Amino acid sequence: MTAKAASGATINPIQREAVQALGRPWTRMAPIADNFMEGGVWEDAVKAIDSRYDATFTLRYHTNWQKSGNTEPYVFGANGEKVYPNEVYFSWVPESEDANINYTGADGKLGFGEMAGRPDFVVAVNHISRKKYPINWKLGIYRTDNAGGLGSKVNGGSPRPWNIAKFSELYLIAAEAAVKLGKNSDAKELVNVLRARAGKQTFSQNDNVAVSVDKSAEMVAATPDVIDIDFILDERSREFWGEGYRWFDLVRTQKWAERAGTYRIAGSGYTDKDLETVTRDIPAGYYIRPIPQGQLDGMEMTDAEKSAYQNPAYRN
């Protein structure tokens, strides 16, 4: 990503930094576009009231070239407007804003768009591709040795402590059990404890400012009257996005093929923006993972016995 600076020089306005939003996690996960569109777990109605959206994704990228020692006072952003240090240069915007975006002439190399009156380049979430997508802010690195500069950028995974048990997990396990027992009122009460909390926000990580927001009443009002397994899965997705739960959740509830058998995402080119539908076959036998070959090799068995010991879908 480059920009024309005040002096006429071309510089990188957003550089890698030892902060969660601009670091490089070991694994970057491209979310499918369906999650952010109408009917998805992060549809516009959810984005508007659920603080977990801001706390999960990097949606706005702030300039930081001054931290590298570059003294350029500003760069030119969308619509030829000036963008100063620490201001937003690129944003992901809701699907509902797509009709207001001009994708032609803004940035031919990266496929960015422009909206009237805005200095930041934009892309609507219904154009998520395999090259451009909101990164998972939760997985970004965090360092405290920046000292006003870019800091030491780690190529590995996040050095932050990783939670192995969460209070919210207890509530969602209990809510799932209540659904299976037919105790809908109990399930709704348990889920709403988390949803009321998710409606409150004291800091916007995308805007990097303190806020005072309380939309807990709206969150509770938006909870459906009847809680089912699909809603529990959606709520688990919003609560634990990118934390390694998803495959186990879908397998445990026997929803893997139904929820992941088809999805939409744009292509692998930087300017690709039109969604493609991907369909994949998920046989029932894949709901059980294979026994590792190393484990089989260490067993005192004949090859035929090892093959028979392997889970059926993975036998030679």
Side-chain angles (χ1 to χ4, degrees):
M1 183 184 300
T2 58
K4 184 70 66 73
S7 67
T10 298
I11 67 171
N12 182 352
I14 303 173
Q15 301 184 27
R16 281 188 59 203
E17 186 176 348
V19 295
Q20 285 171 248
L22 298 178
R24 180 177 294 167
W26 180 256
T27 301
R28 293 250 177 144
M29 297 174 290
I32 60 174
D34 304 79
N35 287 316
F36 299 86
M37 299 169 64
E38 187 68 27
V41 296
W42 298 112
E43 63 181 354
D44 286 0
V46 174
K47 297 182 184 75
I49 60 176
D50 195 327
S51 68
R52 291 173 295 189
Y53 186 57
D54 173 78
T56 300
F57 299 103
T58 297
L59 303 165
R60 288 179 284 282
Y61 291 79
H62 298 252
T63 57
N64 64 347
W65 74 83
Q66 77 285 358
K67 293 184 179 181
S68 68
N70 192 313
T71 58
E72 291 281 0
Y74 58 83
V75 298
F76 292 99
N79 299 300
E81 296 192 26
K82 297 175 182 177
V83 180
Y84 294 88
N86 300 315
E87 292 187 341
V88 179
Y89 186 79
F90 172 78
S91 301
W92 285 100
V93 298
E95 176 187 9
S96 57
E97 297 285 359
D98 190 44
N100 301 319
I101 301 174
N102 175 18
Y103 288 100
T104 61
D107 188 315
K109 291 184 295 183
L110 296 178
F112 292 165
E114 297 174 319
M115 292 178 67
R118 292 183 61 149
D120 56 327
F121 292 103
V122 295
V123 174
V125 291
N126 52 308
H127 295 301
I128 286 173
S129 74
R130 298 181 186 275
K131 283 290 187 183
K132 295 197 302 294
Y133 49 85
I135 68 168
N136 189 336
W137 178 82
K138 291 191 294 185
L139 292 186
I141 66 167
Y142 176 72
R143 298 287 293 264
T144 57
D145 57 357
N146 298 11
L150 296 174
S152 175
K153 286 85 67 182
V154 178
N155 274 318
S158 174
R160 295 179 296 119
W162 187 261
N163 296 317
I164 60 173
K166 290 190 172 183
F167 196 53
S168 55
E169 173 77 343
L170 301 178
Y171 274 89
L172 288 170
I173 289 173
E176 185 175 328
V179 167
K180 292 182 177 180
L181 291 171
K183 298 182 177 181
N184 184 74
S185 60
D186 289 345
K188 186 172 183 178
E189 182 179 349
L190 289 161
V191 165
N192 274 340
V193 171
L194 303 182
R195 289 177 59 78
R197 179 214 60 188
K200 297 180 180 181
Q201 188 175 10
T202 58
F203 191 84
S204 168
Q205 68 91 6
N206 272 287
D207 292 325
N208 196 30
V209 296
V211 296
S212 179
V213 176
D214 187 351
K215 296 187 176 181
S216 53
E218 291 96 320
M219 284 289 289
V220 170
T223 305
D225 290 333
V226 178
I227 304 295
D228 58 15
I229 290 298
D230 286 307
F231 182 80
I232 294 290
L233 285 172
D234 288 347
E235 197 65 16
R236 289 183 67 87
S237 188
R238 287 184 281 264
E239 186 72 24
F240 306 124
W241 188 280
E243 296 184 29
Y245 289 89
R246 194 60 174 171
W247 186 86
F248 299 99
D249 290 345
L250 295 180
V251 167
R252 182 184 68 255
T253 57
Q254 297 291 290
K255 291 281 188 175
W256 187 20
E258 176 186 330
R259 286 188 160 236
T262 182
Y263 61 89
R264 290 178 298 170
I265 193 170
S268 57
Y270 280 105
T271 59
D272 288 346
K273 59 187 286 289
D274 295 327
L275 299 182
E276 302 171 352
T277 299
V278 178
T279 301
R280 55 184 176 173
D281 181 34
I282 303 176
Y286 283 8
Y287 278 69
I288 300 175
R289 285 184 170 176
I291 298 171
Q293 187 62 47
Q295 180 177 332
L296 290 174
D297 290 343
M299 300 177 74
E300 296 181 356
M301 290 181 174
T302 66
D303 288 344
E305 289 171 330
K306 290 178 182 178
S307 178
Y309 191 81
Q310 178 61 275
N311 289 323
Y314 307 98
R315 292 172 185 170
N316 294 329

